[in-house]
Amino acid sequence: MPHAERRVTIRRPVDEVYRYIASGEHQAEWRPAVMSIKLRSGRDGEAGAVYEQKIKGPMGRAVPADYEITSAIPNKELRFRALAGPVRPEGYYLFESSGEGTTVTFGMDCQPSGLARLMTPMVAKAMDGEVACIDNVKSNLER
């Protein structure tokens, strides 16, 4: 089962970092693979919110990658699961206030099934790249 995780400390208050990450509308600002994203149902950044998302797939083609926020504990934890696309990972953001600002841990897990199991090495590599994007949040918020 592929797993990826990255941790970064951002010199901003935890509530600011949490709000930025929780709002799906900001995803395209820090995740280069996101081609489009919009709130389809629920309230932005809250548990139950569903986002319609298209990401860059092979040869730059748009691939559906809709997701739902499954848990939202303000300033502590945000969890999500993919609803569309060939691979459907689950992920989390953990937020810790520290003397330097906010430490965020971004992790993803995936259990490919069927033919997708053949893509496990590619899935693992893609997940590593995805969690590395948390560095872009640091750059954007510390600017």
Side-chain angles (χ1 to χ4, degrees), residues 5 26 34 93 95 102 124 130:
E5 187 174 273
H26 291 292
V34 176
Y93 301 92
F95 302 84
T102 303
E130 189 67 29

Side-chain angles (χ1 to χ4, degrees), residues 74-91:
N75 306 331
K76 298 280 184 210
E77 176 184 288
L78 190 67
R79 293 186 178 271
F80 65 91
R81 67 183 175 104
L83 301 173
V87 178
R88 300 190 182 184
E90 294 188 5

Side-chain angles (χ1 to χ4, degrees), residues 18-74:
Y18 179 87
R19 281 193 320 270
Y20 184 78
I21 291 173
S23 176
E25 308 274 324
H26 291 292
Q27 299 280 317
E29 296 173 13
W30 62 275
R31 293 179 50 226
V34 176
M35 297 174 79
S36 68
I37 188 166
K38 67 179 179 179
L39 181 65
R40 187 170 70 203
S41 64
R43 293 178 57 135
D44 188 36
E46 294 185 7
V50 174
Y51 296 88
E52 185 176 304
Q53 174 180 241
K54 299 257 190 282
I55 61 171
K56 291 177 194 162
M59 301 187 316
R61 293 179 30 177
V63 174
D66 301 356
Y67 72 94
E68 174 185 22
I69 295 178
T70 57
S71 173
I73 303 170

Side-chain angles (χ1 to χ4, degrees), residues 86-87 112-123:
V87 178
S113 60
L115 291 176
R117 280 188 293 208
L118 299 174
M119 299 179 358
T120 297
M122 290 185 336
V123 169

Side-chain angles (χ1 to χ4, degrees), residues 9-12 96-103:
T9 299
I10 302 168
R11 292 186 318 261
R12 286 287 188 248
E96 299 172 50
S97 187
S98 68
E100 298 177 36
T102 303
T103 300

